[in-house]
Amino acid sequence: MSYCQYCRKLPPDNIHRRYHDAVYGVEITDDAELFGRLLLEMNQAGLSWDTILKREAHFRRAYDGFQLEIVANYQLADIERLLADSGIIRNRLKIHAAIHNARQILTLIETHGSFYQWIQQQEAKNTTEWVKLFKKNFKFVGTEIVKEFLFSIGRIPGAHDLDCPSYRH
């Protein structure tokens, strides 16, 4: 067995290796954690994943533990607080998209019981169909963001090479 090519030579204490081994491709059922993962994937756009991983704990604090009800009710003062927070990505479009997406997820929870259930209830789709579905419901989601989000939560295969020990997750 060998690890996925991108992390084969990384030491076990490397942030990417820890993410690969314990988080990437592992199913998430908690709606707040799903929202958090989507928020992190959105914020990675145009940046390195290393930047996001190093700031993950700060994102969690800045966005109130990814609690949907709180983020969905953010007002101008919250937006200004986030824009001034050097521990996260201070991009107005990404911040507004996160708030919009929290509101959309709450709507999906009302109609489907949970964000997790909404994802599970979707027919097996190709990437193009998933992207279309996400763009219909969310902001700041493109092909790579949607694909990586679905890989990272274990919804679609491809997160790990077949001979990677983490593939068994």
Side-chain angles (χ1 to χ4, degrees):
M1 288 191 143
S2 63
Y3 282 91
C4 297
Q5 184 172 349
Y6 79 91
C7 73
R8 281 186 186 142
K9 295 180 181 177
L10 299 175
D13 64 340
N14 178 279
I15 193 167
H16 288 281
R17 177 68 177 270
R18 288 193 314 265
Y19 177 77
H20 167 274
D21 291 354
V23 179
Y24 192 60
V26 177
E27 183 179 41
I28 298 174
T29 59
D30 180 81
D31 287 343
E33 290 303 313
L34 285 166
F35 168 63
R37 187 66 59 82
L38 182 60
L39 186 145
L40 294 175
E41 293 291 349
M42 289 169 28
N43 275 278
Q44 188 272 330
L47 303 168
S48 73
W49 190 238
D50 189 62
T51 299
I52 302 304
L53 288 178
K54 288 178 180 175
R55 296 175 182 213
E56 180 179 4
H58 202 90
F59 271 104
R60 185 176 298 279
R61 282 190 302 277
Y63 283 92
D64 290 290
F66 305 135
Q67 295 178 65
L68 290 159
E69 296 81 7
I70 294 174
V71 176
N73 286 302
Y74 277 0
Q75 301 297 317
L76 183 58
D78 299 295
I79 294 167
E80 294 302 322
R81 171 184 57 82
L82 291 169
L83 286 170
D85 190 334
S86 63
I88 64 167
I89 307 306
R90 298 178 287 180
N91 178 304
R92 187 175 297 277
L93 293 175
K94 292 177 181 182
I95 292 168
H96 281 279
I99 297 165
H100 169 83
N101 293 348
R103 292 173 182 157
Q104 287 300 107
I105 291 171
L106 289 176
T107 300
L108 293 173
I109 290 170
E110 286 177 18
T111 57
H112 293 83
S114 72
F115 184 34
Y116 171 77
Q117 286 300 322
W118 177 80
I119 292 169
Q120 293 302 107
Q121 290 167 11
Q122 303 310 308
E123 296 292 323
K125 299 182 179 300
N126 63 37
T127 304
T128 302
E129 292 169 325
W130 276 111
V131 171
K132 222 185 255 189
L133 180 66
F134 268 67
K135 283 187 172 193
K136 178 181 172 188
N137 289 282
F138 306 110
K139 289 186 177 180
F140 215 95
V141 290
T143 302
E144 287 304 310
I145 292 168
V146 172
K147 186 172 76 173
E148 281 302 321
F149 172 72
L150 295 170
F151 280 153
S152 76
I153 64 167
R155 182 62 177 109
I156 60 174
H160 298 284
D161 295 344
L162 295 178
D163 61 344
C164 176
S166 296
Y167 177 76
R168 288 174 282 177
H169 291 293

